């Protein structure tokens, strides 16, 4: 038997959708979704260059505190998570918020659970 070869043809364009849900901190007025959208437009690299989005990547706000990224080329969710963390660090929110993947292609900004040990403070 001869080995089978794959038929050469144009690879179909794949479209990936990512949603970054920041509705919880946006409702508390500590997260600016418009500034985050602008940050992503400035920082996402396409072919090794920033500001080169063109028609391949679209970024838009959907609803209160949600940003949707639609990519017609290779774009990883880890890269978007990295850029989200970078934005949080820039805005000095990294100590209170974390980025969690709730499902495939969906990232959510959640508050850290802070537990106050008031009983320990009273003993001192």
């Amino acid at each position: 038997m001869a080995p089978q070869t794959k038929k050469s043809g144009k690879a179909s364009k794949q479209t990936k959708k990512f949603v970054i849900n920041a509705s919880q901190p946006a409702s508390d007025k500590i997260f600016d979704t418009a500034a985050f959208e602008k940050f992503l437009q400035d920082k996402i690299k396409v072919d090794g260059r920033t500001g080169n989005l063109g028609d391949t990547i679209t970024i838009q706000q959907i609803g209160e505190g949600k940003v949707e990224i639609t990519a017609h080329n290779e774009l990883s969710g880890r890269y978007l998570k990295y850029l989200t963390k970078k934005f949080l660090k820039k805005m000095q929110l990294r100590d209170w918020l974390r980025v969690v993947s709730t499902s495939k292609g969906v990232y959510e900004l959640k508050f850290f659970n802070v537990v106050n040990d008031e009983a320990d403070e009273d003993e001192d």
Side-chain angles (χ1 to χ4, degrees), residues 6-113:
K6 292 184 178 179
K7 294 183 180 181
S8 62
K10 286 192 173 182
S12 63
K13 281 192 173 185
Q14 61 183 22
T15 302
K16 291 185 178 180
K17 265 190 179 176
F18 298 98
V19 175
I20 299 175
N21 184 359
S23 56
Q24 202 176 29
S27 65
D28 290 344
K29 306 264 191 279
I30 65 165
F31 188 83
D32 187 10
T33 313
F36 178 59
E37 182 183 359
K38 174 85 169 86
F39 177 82
L40 288 177
Q41 287 176 348
D42 292 341
K43 295 291 183 177
I44 289 180
K45 287 186 176 182
V46 178
D47 297 329
R49 306 177 93 192
T50 58
N52 190 20
L53 296 182
D55 295 334
T56 58
I57 297 176
T58 58
I59 302 169
Q60 60 187 0
Q61 281 183 311
I62 52 171
E64 175 69 27
K66 290 185 181 181
V67 177
E68 182 182 64
I69 298 103
T70 306
H72 299 292
N73 64 351
E74 289 296 318
L75 183 70
S76 70
R78 288 290 298 168
Y79 183 55
L80 290 175
K81 185 174 180 178
Y82 162 77
L83 287 176
T84 305
K85 286 181 177 182
K86 195 170 181 175
F87 179 77
L88 290 175
K89 186 69 175 177
K90 180 182 175 187
M91 296 295 158
Q92 298 172 348
L93 296 172
R94 186 82 175 94
D95 295 334
W96 293 280
L97 295 172
R98 64 188 186 137
V99 184
V100 179
S101 176
T102 54
S103 64
K104 185 173 178 139
V106 178
Y107 292 93
E108 189 171 341
L109 297 180
K110 293 187 175 184
F111 288 102
F112 281 114
N113 290 334

